[in-house]
Amino acid sequence: MRLTRRDALAVLAGLGVTGGAVSLTQFDPPTADSTGEGSGSDGDLGGGGDDDTPPTAVRETMVAAGEVVYPSAVEGIPEFVETYVVGRARDDARRDAMVDAATELDGVARDWENAAFADLPAGDRDRLLRELGVNTADPVPDGTLSERLRFHVVNELLYAFYASPTGGRLVGIENPIGHPGGTESYRRATMDGGETAESGGTADSGGESDG
């Protein structure tokens, strides 16, 4: 199973983030033509120039979290998560909370493991999340660190996965959210699906509050 940027764009469309805000070309690698001054293209995600775009370290942390939260058979996680995170950041409130939570997670990794969260082996990332109690925490947007990580990092990623056409098929969601029957399919599948993360990490996406 391979997640793609188009999967992420489908999720974002269901959230009201349309192609005008996030386009496929925004995430293409820079070319000689696209990196010239005044070209109007961001090219590489790390190029900056867009106040809405989360910092590179935040995007890397979210990708690294996705790699331990999503089933091990899933491919294409970096491009899927980066596309979703950049699009989700068009919502100012979501961006700030997600950036803060991911930054705190990375800070804990640096304090406890002497390495960025994204630089840790997958097993150590999973262990760190468990030691923080994220796998058993309730998703609370303004709660304790564990609760905020559950809401703004883990459940944000799981919502994106389940609401995508590819991820939805894994748990029997016929239509992505934003399409006819999509919301009901999502609710039915996530209530019945139980844990799907290969790592044993929580796969309960019910804490995603506003879809």
Side-chain angles (χ1 to χ4, degrees), residues 126 129-137 146 150 154 195 200-202:
D126 180 71
L129 289 171
R130 290 174 178 277
E131 289 178 351
L132 286 168
V134 178
N135 60 313
T136 57
S146 298
R150 176 65 182 258
V154 172
E195 286 197 359
T202 177

Side-chain angles (χ1 to χ4, degrees), residues 108-116 120:
V108 171
R110 292 174 187 273
D111 287 343
W112 292 11
E113 307 289 339
N114 295 313
L120 295 173

Side-chain angles (χ1 to χ4, degrees), residues 56-82:
T56 298
V58 169
R59 302 196 308 270
E60 290 176 345
T61 297
M62 293 295 286
V63 168
E67 288 172 345
V68 298
V69 168
Y70 292 166
S72 61
V74 173
E75 299 177 345
I77 292 173
E79 64 178 358
F80 173 79
V81 171
E82 283 223 22

Side-chain angles (χ1 to χ4, degrees), residues 11-148:
V11 180
L12 293 168
L15 294 170
V17 181
T18 62
V22 183
S23 67
L24 285 172
T25 56
Q26 178 180 353
F27 304 98
D28 289 340
T31 63
D33 292 335
S34 68
T35 55
E37 184 175 352
S39 66
S41 172
D42 272 345
D44 186 6
L45 277 171
D50 187 342
D51 291 339
D52 286 340
T53 302
T56 298
V58 169
R59 302 196 308 270
E60 290 176 345
T61 297
M62 293 295 286
V63 168
E67 288 172 345
V68 298
V69 168
Y70 292 166
S72 61
V74 173
E75 299 177 345
I77 292 173
E79 64 178 358
F80 173 79
V81 171
E82 283 223 22
T83 304
Y84 176 77
V85 167
V86 170
R88 193 61 154 146
R90 267 45 185 183
D91 180 330
D92 291 344
R94 284 290 187 177
R95 179 186 66 245
D96 293 344
M98 182 171 57
V99 166
D100 289 347
T103 300
E104 287 187 86
L105 175 58
D106 188 56
V108 171
R110 292 174 187 273
D111 287 343
W112 292 11
E113 307 289 339
N114 295 313
F117 183 77
D119 291 339
L120 295 173
D124 289 346
R125 283 177 254 154
D126 180 71
R127 174 179 52 79
L128 181 61
L129 289 171
R130 290 174 178 277
E131 289 178 351
L132 286 168
V134 178
N135 60 313
T136 57
D138 291 326
V140 181
D142 56 354
T144 65
L145 174 59
S146 298
E147 291 169 339
R148 286 183 282 110

